[in-house]
Amino acid sequence: MPEILDFDYVILGAGPSGLTFAHRLLDEGEPSFVVIEAEEEAGGLCRSVAVDGAPLDIGGGHFLDVKNARVTDFLFRFLPEDQWNRYSRITRIRMGGFDDIDYPFESHIYQLPEEEQAAVLDSVARAGCVTGAPEPSRFSDWIRWKLGDRIAEIYMLPYNWKIWSMDLDDLGAYWLHKLPDVSYEQTLQSCREKRPAGTVPAHGTFLYPKAFGYGEVWRRMGEQLGDRLCLNTKVTSVDVETRTVNDKFRGKRIINTIPWPLWWELAALPGDVAEAAGRLRHTSIDVDYVGRNETSDAHWIYIPDEDVPHHRLLCRNNFIAGARGGWTETNSARSGPSGKWRHHNTFAYPLNTIAKPDDIELVLTWARSQEIYGLGRWGEWEYMNSDVAVAHALDLAGELLSRKLEAP
Ligand SMILES: Cc1cc2nc3c(=O)[nH]c(=O)nc-3n(C[C@H](O)[C@H](O)[C@H](O)COP(=O)(O)OP(=O)(O)OC[C@H]3O[C@@H](n4cnc5c(N)ncnc54)[C@H](O)[C@@H]3O)c2cc1C
């Protein structure tokens, strides 16, 4: 029998969520924890490598949102503010047969050819949310209801079909509510005046490291954990009753940032929990290096055209000094043979299926009753960016540290 090591916290996964949780424990003088990570480097989906002499983000294009100062201040401790470049986001949509148009699509209809503008306007006037039709619950009906048939058909549905590569009607519409309304009057005015009308979302600002890629901040966070971070250590079993991982690491609490469906094989779960965890769905994406520079000044380009396998092209020559080329993101179900360099991300996007809200709630409620806490993109099964993962980790650590641990 191997020796059992006891900790207050056993943290599964060293992506942004697990790393932030661990550092918050250290900040609060709580040294009794271990982080278990399958890969040879910390950072999860946010890791970077060097390809063709410049950084490439292996989990797709990664940029740090600046909206949450608590998060940026926390990350600047590891990669100081002067080591990041600050950009005003330039993004475009590449449609087959048209010139690239600015993002968001709905605000730049006037950049389409005139006959296409007329078709879009006509369908916006008949969109369900404009005419007062009842709000549908299925994804594709909801997109048509919200944006009209034409925007749905030439942009939103093909793009979503490419990125998710599944029956879109298995997705719920509950996560789409932040999409702005498209107003017929404003779209018409915009087409007449040939400029965006109404409320155009402010140019987002993002940060990207001056050197080494987005992965650098997480790599440094991992390095500073010293031997509390166990790399190259895959979680292969969890004894839920004793909260013992791999028959070796026993925690008073477990923080789970790894995908719940993996728990099928790792642990004996109650039947309803196992079923709910097994219903959670995800997509995989391939990230492929492209050596050619785009002539566009965009940081990245969305590609709804179904004849092109990838759905997004990252132009790293426009956000990494001295770099050339960039990389593409392709749903693995659509990927062709690999070119010069490819990274496959098995767990890329948690899917917002119709059943997901109930399923994840059931899993998380059961887990909490066992002092096991789901955290982050996979632990909460939420389509969240790394800044949100950091915020959730800071919050959960705060909550748990304020609740005293039971004596063993
Ligand atoms: C294409 C794409 C683009 C994105 N763009 C952005 C962006 O521009 N800006 C942004 O902020 N965010 C972006 N994100 C989101 C960002 O990647 C996530 O928010 C972030 O990585 C979540 O961190 P996490 O720690 O919760 O999960 P992850 O980063 O997935 O970390 C989970 C960790 O668990 C480990 N693990 C899994 N299974 C096991 C096991 N059995 N044993 C041990 N360890 C295991 C993994 O190796 C990984 O290190 C993007 C994501 C994708 C896919």
Side-chain angles (χ1 to χ4, degrees):
M1 198 57 185
E3 186 198 356
I4 303 266
L5 306 173
D6 278 299
F7 301 92
D8 285 353
Y9 294 88
V10 174
I11 303 167
L12 311 185
S17 306
L19 291 168
T20 303
F21 190 93
H23 275 282
R24 180 72 207 273
L25 292 181
L26 281 183
D27 290 347
E28 297 298 321
E30 164 57 272
S32 174
F33 69 85
V34 64
V35 186
I36 300 169
E37 168 57 49
E39 300 292 338
E40 62 184 8
E41 197 178 39
L45 280 168
C46 296
R47 285 171 291 158
S48 308
V49 295
V51 177
D52 212 359
L56 189 157
D57 300 337
I58 67 173
H62 276 76
F63 307 94
L64 180 62
D65 199 320
V66 294
K67 280 203 277 297
N68 188 335
R70 182 175 64 135
V71 169
T72 46
D73 287 349
F74 174 77
L75 294 177
F76 291 158
R77 283 170 41 192
F78 305 95
L79 192 65
E81 189 169 3
D82 64 0
Q83 293 181 33
W84 300 77
N85 280 321
R86 183 174 287 261
Y87 293 101
S88 275
R89 170 180 165 160
I90 304 173
T91 51
R92 302 243 155 69
I93 300 154
R94 181 162 292 171
M95 322 278 296
F98 311 146
D99 289 342
D100 292 355
I101 76 163
D102 287 314
Y103 178 92
F105 189 87
E106 306 83 280
S107 307
H108 298 94
I109 305 296
Y110 70 92
Q111 296 175 352
L112 292 168
E114 275 184 8
E115 64 280 14
E116 195 53 61
Q117 292 178 36
V120 168
L121 271 167
D122 185 52
S123 77
V124 166
R126 286 188 278 115
C129 76
V130 174
T131 61
E135 184 173 346
S137 59
R138 297 239 169 215
F139 184 89
S140 50
D141 298 339
W142 193 90
I143 293 289
R144 287 175 186 279
W145 174 85
K146 182 79 172 180
L147 302 172
D149 285 343
R150 194 66 191 158
I151 298 180
E153 279 156 18
I154 62 174
Y155 167 50
M156 279 299 271
L157 293 178
Y159 185 76
N160 277 281
W161 166 242
K162 282 181 74 173
I163 190 168
W164 311 124
S165 293
M166 61 179 287
D167 182 350
L168 294 179
D169 284 339
D170 288 343
L171 295 173
Y174 54 86
W175 55 290
L176 299 168
H177 287 95
K178 59 184 177 192
L179 270 185
D181 279 344
V182 182
S183 141
Y184 173 77
E185 287 75 20
Q186 284 178 354
T187 310
L188 180 64
Q189 186 190 348
S190 157
C191 290
R192 280 194 182 130
E193 295 175 359
K194 304 229 167 296
R195 61 182 177 84
T199 333
V200 185
H203 258 292
T205 302
F206 66 80
L207 301 176
Y208 192 84
K210 288 181 178 169
F212 313 120
Y214 195 61
E216 181 61 7
V217 63
W218 319 103
R219 195 194 63 73
R220 291 186 187 188
M221 282 171 81
E223 199 173 69
Q224 289 183 27
L225 292 176
D227 58 11
R228 290 192 178 89
L229 171 60
C230 298
L231 295 170
N232 296 307
T233 309
K234 192 171 177 176
V235 176
T236 51
S237 70
V238 182
D239 180 330
V240 169
E241 211 167 306
T242 61
R243 285 182 299 279
T244 306
V245 175
N246 292 2
D247 296 323
K248 183 171 176 187
F249 307 99
R250 184 164 54 201
K252 293 178 185 156
R253 287 173 174 153
I254 291 179
I255 307 301
N256 179 49
T257 79
I258 74 174
W260 285 109
L262 299 178
W263 281 61
W264 258 85
E265 291 184 1
L266 302 178
L269 304 177
D272 57 341
V273 176
E275 280 169 25
R279 276 193 300 267
L280 296 171
R281 291 172 64 192
H282 67 279
T283 60
S284 305
I285 65 161
D286 291 332
V287 171
D288 288 86
Y289 175 58
V290 181
R292 191 171 55 87
N293 277 0
E294 279 293 314
T295 45
S296 171
D297 62 347
H299 298 118
W300 64 89
I301 300 172
Y302 300 102
I303 306 180
D305 186 344
E306 290 185 75
D307 294 334
V308 179
H310 52 271
H311 55 263
R312 192 161 77 126
L313 169 64
L314 284 298
C315 311
R316 75 172 175 178
N317 54 312
N318 291 331
F319 59 88
I320 301 177
R324 70 186 169 99
W327 60 89
T328 57
E329 296 169 357
T330 312
N331 186 304
S332 302
R334 302 174 56 88
S335 270
S338 171
K340 189 172 167 194
W341 183 94
R342 167 175 289 175
H343 183 80
H344 174 72
N345 297 279
T346 304
F347 284 91
Y349 287 99
L351 286 173
N352 285 316
T353 50
I354 293 168
K356 184 206 92 168
D358 291 341
D359 285 336
I360 190 65
E361 193 187 330
L362 193 149
V363 172
L364 291 177
T365 305
W366 165 80
R368 273 193 170 238
S369 73
Q370 307 299 313
E371 292 283 3
I372 298 171
Y373 297 86
L375 174 66
R377 193 166 174 98
W378 307 109
E380 298 172 75
W381 216 261
E382 227 179 76
Y383 182 105
M384 67 173 76
N385 271 355
S386 58
D387 57 307
V388 178
V390 168
H392 283 208
L394 295 174
D395 289 344
L396 181 66
E399 178 203 329
L400 296 186
L401 286 165
S402 71
R403 277 203 275 124
K404 249 181 117 49
L405 280 160
E406 302 284 322

